[in-house]
């Protein structure tokens, strides 16, 4: 049986370590975070605000048709290097997506920074399926029975 002081100490430690814990969980699940954005970009051609990306030019559409790539939506996946270069960073729970591909800044300038953002439903899904279960597990490991002595 734990004392109230022990329980408070454990809770304080949990609270103080929570940002680093979340950062570690995001890093551990980075592929899932990246996959969610790639799926939205490729499947729907939408940015993190839920807006459709600007349509391809006629020249690009002709190239897409010739190479049997989707042309009815902007996927930002011509060669795959933009997607392959994607990575996430988490700083105190603030998750940011980037791509190390050399054309990333050009794509961001043209289509807007929201191409790297998560939609609200994506954020909720990732939080509920990847982050919250791990946090709940940590909370369950805290002392369960508290002994309070009144003197």
């Amino acid at each position: 049986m734990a004392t109230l002081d022990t329980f408070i100490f454990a809770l304080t430690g949990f609270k103080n370590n929570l940002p680093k814990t979340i950062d570690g969980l995001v890093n551990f699940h980075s592929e899932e975070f990246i996959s969610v954005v790639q799926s939205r970009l490729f499947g729907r051609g939408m940015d993190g605000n839920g807006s459709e990306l600007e349509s391809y030019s006629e020249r690009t559409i002709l190239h897409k048709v010739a190479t049997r790539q989707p042309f009815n939506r902007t996927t930002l996946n011509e060669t795959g290097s933009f997607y392959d270069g994607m990575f996430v960073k988490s700083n105190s729970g603030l998750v940011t997506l980037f791509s190390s591909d050399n054309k990333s800044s050009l794509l961001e300038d043209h289509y807007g920074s929201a191409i790297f953002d998560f939609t609200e439903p994506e954020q909720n899904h990732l939080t509920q399926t990847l982050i919250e279960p791990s946090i709940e597990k940590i909370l369950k490991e805290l002392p369960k029975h508290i002994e309070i002595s009144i003197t």
Side-chain angles (χ1 to χ4, degrees), residues 5-106:
D5 287 339
T6 304
F7 186 70
I8 291 171
F9 181 78
L11 275 178
T12 302
F14 169 78
K15 178 186 170 198
N16 292 340
N17 290 319
L18 188 57
K20 287 182 182 177
T21 300
I22 292 172
D23 293 345
L25 290 168
V26 169
N27 186 50
F28 182 76
H29 295 290
S30 63
E31 292 302 316
E32 289 95 325
F33 278 78
I34 293 166
S35 177
V36 163
V37 172
Q38 290 174 340
S39 294
R40 175 183 22 86
L41 286 170
F42 190 84
R44 297 190 319 233
M46 299 177 86
D47 67 17
N49 294 326
S51 301
E52 280 188 26
L53 299 177
E54 179 184 328
S55 297
Y56 286 128
S57 68
E58 286 185 40
R59 188 177 123 218
T60 302
I61 290 173
L62 290 173
H63 173 73
K64 294 278 188 178
V65 169
T67 57
R68 297 182 167 210
Q69 293 184 35
F71 60 90
N72 62 337
R73 64 196 180 278
T74 301
T75 65
L76 305 182
N77 192 25
E78 177 71 24
T79 65
S81 58
F82 177 65
Y83 283 29
D84 290 344
M86 287 185 173
F87 63 98
V88 292
K89 284 187 178 180
S90 180
N91 185 5
S92 296
L94 177 63
V95 181
T96 312
L97 181 78
F98 301 95
S99 178
S100 60
D101 181 53
N102 59 7
K103 67 180 169 289
S104 294
S105 60
L106 296 172

